[in-house]
Amino acid sequence: MAILKIARMGHPVLARRAQEVADPAAPEIRRLVADMVETMIDANGAGLAAPQVHVPLRVVVFQAPADRTPQTENETFDHAAPLTVLINPLLETIDPTEEGGWEGCLSVPGLRGYVERPGHIRYRGFDLDGKMLERSARGFHARVVQHECDHLDGILYPQRMRDLSKLIFETEARHWAQPE
Ligand code: NI
């Protein structure tokens, strides 16, 4: 395993559409994912997409820990996700009502932005054994999946922002109360 170099905003690999993976169960994809997970954990990120490590393929890894979002007994599964690998993911909006939240990105270091996204989605994709995974997601779980999958289409979160006055340095986040 290896910690990979993370591409930063402005590198062309972050602005292009990534290609479908021909064989999700291929050994080189398993190797890539192992390195992506190690890189994500080392950088203390919640998610990472392959283009962020200069690999233009449709692969994302993410986790949504249960302690990151408010939860009720019934919503735990929707709101939280274990460490997950998604290959060739497809997203579908269940409820288009948008929720706002602060996002950061390992490719946009030092900054945070307030982004509105649909709050309830469903996603599908392949795992490392080539099996189809399907889940619904809300809250932070829905946000991180949409953020990571945007990377596969060359989109960084500032491009999703409607109000750039809410693009701030992490060091100033204390001045902003979390909404709701
Ligand atoms: Ni990102």
Side-chain angles (χ1 to χ4, degrees):
M1 299 221 294
I3 292 171
L4 305 172
K5 186 177 181 195
I6 295 174
R8 290 161 40 123
M9 182 165 64
H11 193 292
V13 74
L14 294 173
R16 289 196 293 257
R17 186 185 184 278
Q19 294 302 301
E20 272 75 18
V21 173
D23 177 9
E28 60 267 28
I29 298 301
R30 188 172 290 270
R31 226 159 20 238
L32 167 67
V33 165
D35 289 345
M36 285 172 63
V37 169
E38 191 177 10
T39 303
M40 177 183 80
I41 290 169
D42 176 70
N44 199 26
L48 192 68
Q52 290 184 275
V53 291
H54 304 86
V55 177
L57 291 174
R58 303 185 81 75
V59 179
V60 300
V61 299
F62 58 87
Q63 51 192 342
D67 59 5
R68 259 194 104 125
T69 47
Q71 51 180 298
T72 65
E73 280 174 31
N74 292 331
E75 289 175 336
T76 303
F77 178 79
D78 264 355
H79 280 275
L83 180 58
T84 300
V85 179
L86 265 192
I87 300 164
N88 299 341
L90 291 173
L91 302 192
E92 182 190 339
T93 300
I94 295 176
D95 181 351
T97 307
E98 295 192 332
E99 292 174 8
W102 291 93
E103 298 188 15
C105 181
L106 297 176
S107 294
V108 190
L111 296 177
R112 281 195 201 165
Y114 189 78
V115 187
E116 285 155 296
R117 300 185 187 269
H120 192 190
I121 64 161
R122 187 189 322 278
Y123 61 85
R124 278 181 297 157
F126 294 99
D127 67 15
L128 288 172
D129 296 318
K131 285 189 302 205
M132 179 69 80
L133 173 77
E134 179 170 349
R135 285 188 193 142
S136 64
R138 297 177 206 252
F140 180 76
H141 182 188
R143 179 170 301 283
V144 71
V145 171
Q146 291 174 85
H147 175 119
E148 296 315 325
C149 290
D150 266 355
H151 278 296
L152 306 181
D153 292 324
I155 296 167
L156 299 175
Y157 79 78
Q159 294 164 257
R160 293 287 189 198
M161 292 181 64
R162 301 212 179 92
D163 179 0
L164 285 174
S165 73
K166 292 180 178 170
L167 183 63
I168 66 171
F169 285 103
E170 273 167 6
T171 51
E172 308 310 310
R174 66 185 188 281
H175 299 297
W176 297 72
Q178 290 287 334
E180 276 95 47

